[in-house]
Amino acid sequence: MNYTVMTLDAGGTNFVFSAIKNAEEVVKPVGAPSMGHDLNQCLKNIIKGFEVVKKQLSEPPDAISFAFPGPADYDNGIIGDLTNLSGFKGGVALGPMLEHHFGIPVFINNDGDLFAYGEAMYGLLPEINHKLRMAGCNKHYRNLSGVTLGTGFGGGFVFNNELMIGDNGAGGEVCLMTNPFDDTLFAEESISARAVVNEYLNAAPSETSGLTPADVYAIAKGTKPGNRDAALESFRKFGKALGMILSGVTTIMDAPVVIGGGLANAWELFAPEMLDIMQHNTKIIKGQPRNQLLMKTFNLESEEEFQEFAMGKQTRVNVPFSDREVSHDSMKRIGVGRTRLGTSKAIALGAYAFALKKQPPEIT
């Protein structure tokens, strides 16, 4: 499948350009300052970055596909007012500009969406299905929810191997869900890097400011001086908030969940609380406790739990008015795991897969 897609990792400070063919990076990545405060220079840097990548290719690229911050009209490639790239105001036709310059299709999406799509096509989802086949299980998963935990709280959903963008290009904006602890705030205020630091400082007010989530993580692990109980509590509360949000997401999606972003590296500190909430988030219905999720939740980072996840609950049931029996797996279940590709690579491969979906290569 000789189809080459040029990609861009768009940060608020730096841009990194590359190209993917056969799901593999095929050039040496090219970096450039974003110059996001100066729209004219920023756009010139984007064109130049793709030009440098194009010169490294042995054949012309077939498409450009990448993630870019929102708000945006992603379908039409028009970028709205951005905080990290302040030069973008009033609607900038970035996609049409690149199509005009390079003469090839251009696809722009949200990073959370492309992260989920990359993991669905090349990462956690195919791994789950492969391991289930190896275990002799006939169950097959086609959907995936993805969230990224970092400076912000991002998300994306894949349904039947199709990226769910939404009618307004705003699907998967989990950051805007209601905060589980304060309904006047968005979820991101409890599920982000600043949330970890703020919670730690609230519990340990004598600590100095200027800490990073990595500092709080090191304190929680006992490798850096500080209030360890406060650090552990900050990640526990982070996990609780995440579990409550993912419980809501999973009631809609009924799909495995993949977690990426820098804070995913603190899995052992927040995941136990997150998984416990998803497994035991009960409500009282007519005087009886009832779990919010119909599905049992499994930790896909645990091989022991995966074995139970693969086994399910196999029974035989009678077919009415016959002497036949059929197999029945009565356990509804989903799994939660970390990115298998790494967040940046998942986004790039999601961009590549999206371009292939939109512009399938001709079979020769």
Side-chain angles (χ1 to χ4, degrees):
M1 188 179 290
N2 295 319
Y3 196 73
T4 304
V5 177
M6 296 198 295
T7 66
L8 163 62
D9 182 357
T13 303
N14 294 294
F15 291 150
V16 180
F17 303 84
S18 189
I20 296 175
K21 180 178 179 180
N22 296 325
E24 296 290 342
E25 196 170 56
V26 293
V27 299
K28 182 179 179 181
V30 175
S34 63
M35 300 295 289
H37 62 285
D38 183 335
L39 179 62
N40 188 56
Q41 189 59 53
C42 181
L43 296 177
K44 287 181 178 179
N45 284 0
I46 292 174
I47 291 173
K48 182 179 178 181
F50 282 125
E51 286 285 6
V52 174
V53 167
K54 184 179 178 181
K55 289 178 181 178
Q56 293 187 56
L57 297 172
S58 58
E59 54 190 10
D62 298 283
I64 293 172
S65 185
F66 61 96
F68 210 76
D73 174 2
Y74 290 117
D75 280 346
N76 295 304
I78 299 174
I79 307 302
D81 298 356
L82 304 183
T83 300
N84 290 343
L85 301 169
S86 58
F88 284 79
K89 292 186 180 299
V92 179
L94 177 59
M97 178 197 78
L98 292 171
E99 286 183 344
H100 175 75
H101 183 89
F102 289 97
I104 55 178
V106 175
F107 307 103
I108 305 176
N109 276 291
N110 174 273
D111 56 354
D113 291 333
L114 293 181
F115 166 74
Y117 201 44
E119 289 287 342
M121 302 306 292
Y122 302 104
L124 182 65
L125 195 59
E127 178 188 291
I128 290 172
N129 288 326
H130 173 73
K131 290 179 71 175
L132 289 175
R133 287 194 301 272
M134 293 299 99
C137 176
N138 292 326
K139 193 168 182 65
H140 183 84
Y141 289 85
R142 297 176 178 84
N143 311 307
L144 186 71
S145 300
V147 295
T148 54
L149 313 175
T151 303
F153 178 39
F157 306 121
V158 178
F159 179 73
N160 271 343
N161 296 323
E162 295 277 355
L163 185 59
M164 294 176 60
I165 297 174
D167 289 331
N168 296 288
E173 293 293 332
V174 292
C175 61
L176 301 179
M177 294 178 70
T178 301
N179 189 292
F181 306 133
D182 185 341
D183 62 11
T184 67
L185 300 174
F186 292 133
E188 189 172 86
E189 297 309 312
S190 289
I191 310 172
S192 59
R194 64 182 176 276
V196 170
V197 174
N198 289 342
E199 188 61 35
Y200 175 75
L201 293 176
N202 287 339
S206 62
E207 295 285 332
T208 58
S209 59
L211 293 173
T212 67
D215 293 326
V216 181
Y217 175 81
I219 293 169
K221 297 293 288 184
T223 60
K224 181 182 177 71
N227 188 327
R228 190 177 185 189
D229 288 342
L232 289 169
E233 177 61 17
S234 71
F235 279 104
R236 189 200 66 79
K237 191 170 182 180
F238 176 92
K240 183 176 182 179
L242 181 58
M244 294 173 76
I245 291 297
L246 290 182
S247 293
V249 165
T250 305
T251 60
I252 303 299
M253 279 297 295
D254 183 13
V257 179
V258 61
I259 297 176
L263 285 169
N265 294 322
W267 177 269
E268 75 276 17
L269 297 182
F270 70 80
E273 187 72 17
M274 172 193 74
L275 292 163
D276 185 66
I277 289 292
M278 295 182 73
Q279 192 72 349
H280 304 110
N281 190 12
T282 57
K283 311 294 181 184
I284 303 301
I285 308 296
K286 295 182 178 180
Q288 297 295 319
R290 182 175 175 181
N291 193 33
Q292 183 177 2
L293 291 182
L294 296 175
M295 295 74 72
K296 187 172 181 179
T297 305
F298 288 89
N299 178 4
L300 296 180
E301 302 304 300
S302 164
E303 191 57 37
E304 181 180 350
E305 287 201 31
F306 186 88
Q307 294 307 313
E308 184 183 353
F309 173 77
M311 185 179 301
K313 190 175 181 180
Q314 303 291 335
T315 60
R316 302 284 293 177
V317 296
N318 293 323
V319 177
F321 310 115
S322 78
D323 58 0
R324 295 176 57 231
E325 287 186 340
V326 293
S327 296
H328 173 49
D329 184 348
S330 62
M331 181 189 288
K332 297 181 186 297
R333 57 199 186 275
I334 57 111
V336 184
R338 286 188 291 184
T339 173
R340 294 305 192 256
L341 300 170
T343 307
S344 182
K345 185 175 181 180
I347 292 170
L349 286 175
Y352 170 78
F354 187 79
L356 260 64
K357 190 77 173 180
K358 290 291 187 179
Q359 296 284 126
E362 294 182 4
I363 300 175
T364 56

